Amino acid sequence: MPALVTLSGRLVRLEPLSLAVVDDLVTAASEDRSTYAFTRVPNGWDEMASYVGAAMAEQAEGHTMPFAIRWLNTDRIVGATRLMNLEYWQGPMPWPPGSRSAVGEVPSVADIGYTWLAASAQGTGVNRESKFLMLSLAFDTWNVHRITLKADVRNHRSRKAIEGLGAHFDGVRRRESRGADNTVRDTAFYSILREEWPAIRDRLVHRLGMVEAA
């Protein structure tokens, strides 16, 4: 399983998610919950502690790498995100088929998801730089083949943000999962491939005003 890391940029620092930041996450999630119409965000201390504990359990099994997002301008924890659904294609094939017990040192593919931000951090560049830092880790350090991103098809704000990264729209999977509003949602799938990353990376570096990659 990959080693835990802290990822730093100009606007944000992504810190390994831990129970130590539960209070900060509760504060962030309480700012304006009307912004979470299509995103499941824990509400209150008990839900947040359960959410963090479950993420850490998946991390211990090598299936996710969750982060708390610290906004450096304010030195506040303003949300969370993660690299998830980590798959390891090196080494022997796992047995029986479908087993998730066998993991390697670095993932071969991953998703970016479970991203949410306090209302005050939305639209500030925090999300874009957070995604850039995780993409850089995945492609430049792990050398993954593909990153997948997805959103409720109705969540136009999230879809616009994903498309702004330069991700390729793969299509809509109908009736894909339970939605945050307790409906059955259609999900828009996007991806970035290893060979597409250099051009996307250069464009994001320019848009973020960075001299070089973080």
Side-chain angles (χ1 to χ4, degrees):
M1 54 186 286
L4 299 183
V5 294
T6 297
L7 306 175
S8 297
R10 288 190 315 112
L11 296 177
V12 303
R13 184 167 63 242
L14 302 187
E15 304 171 357
L17 192 65
S18 73
L19 292 171
V21 298
V22 167
D23 288 342
D24 295 327
L25 290 171
V26 171
T27 299
S30 301
E31 285 189 3
D32 182 0
R33 295 196 60 83
S34 69
T35 64
Y36 303 138
F38 302 112
T39 305
R40 294 187 65 185
V41 178
N43 188 10
W45 197 93
D46 289 342
E47 283 191 14
M48 193 65 73
S50 176
Y51 163 88
V52 172
M56 292 175 65
E58 286 197 12
Q59 174 185 287
E61 295 175 349
H63 301 309
T64 191
M65 181 173 283
F67 297 98
I69 304 171
R70 184 176 296 277
W71 192 6
L72 297 178
N73 288 351
T74 62
D75 196 31
R76 292 187 294 122
I77 297 294
V78 292
T81 189
R82 67 185 72 173
L83 285 150
M84 53 188 278
N85 296 333
L86 308 183
E87 294 186 21
Y88 302 81
W89 295 350
Q90 69 274 28
M93 294 286 282
W95 189 262
S99 170
R100 292 172 59 89
S101 60
V103 297
E105 293 184 358
V106 292
S108 302
V109 295
D111 292 7
I112 289 177
Y114 279 100
T115 303
W116 62 269
L117 291 172
S120 59
Q122 296 171 18
T124 63
V126 165
N127 177 62
R128 181 177 294 159
E129 188 174 81
S130 296
K131 295 291 198 302
F132 173 79
L133 293 172
M134 289 186 288
L135 288 167
S136 296
L137 173 66
F139 285 112
D140 298 336
T141 300
W142 295 346
N143 201 30
V144 299
H145 297 281
R146 183 195 73 241
I147 287 290
T148 297
L149 304 102
K150 52 192 177 183
D152 188 313
V153 75
R154 302 166 296 173
N155 192 342
H156 299 296
R157 184 179 64 187
S158 289
R159 294 185 64 181
K160 183 177 179 180
I162 293 170
E163 291 163 3
L165 296 171
H168 179 268
F169 176 55
D170 294 329
V172 173
R173 182 178 295 173
R174 298 179 297 169
R175 302 300 184 264
E176 189 266 341
S177 65
R178 186 175 180 178
D181 59 351
N182 215 28
T183 62
V184 178
R185 80 178 205 181
D186 298 340
T187 299
F189 279 73
Y190 297 83
S191 63
I192 299 174
L193 303 183
R194 179 194 292 170
E195 57 268 29
E196 297 166 346
W197 170 239
I200 290 174
R201 175 187 178 278
D202 290 346
R203 184 168 63 252
L204 288 175
V205 166
H206 177 73
R207 293 185 68 181
L208 290 166
M210 294 178 170
V211 175
E212 59 184 18

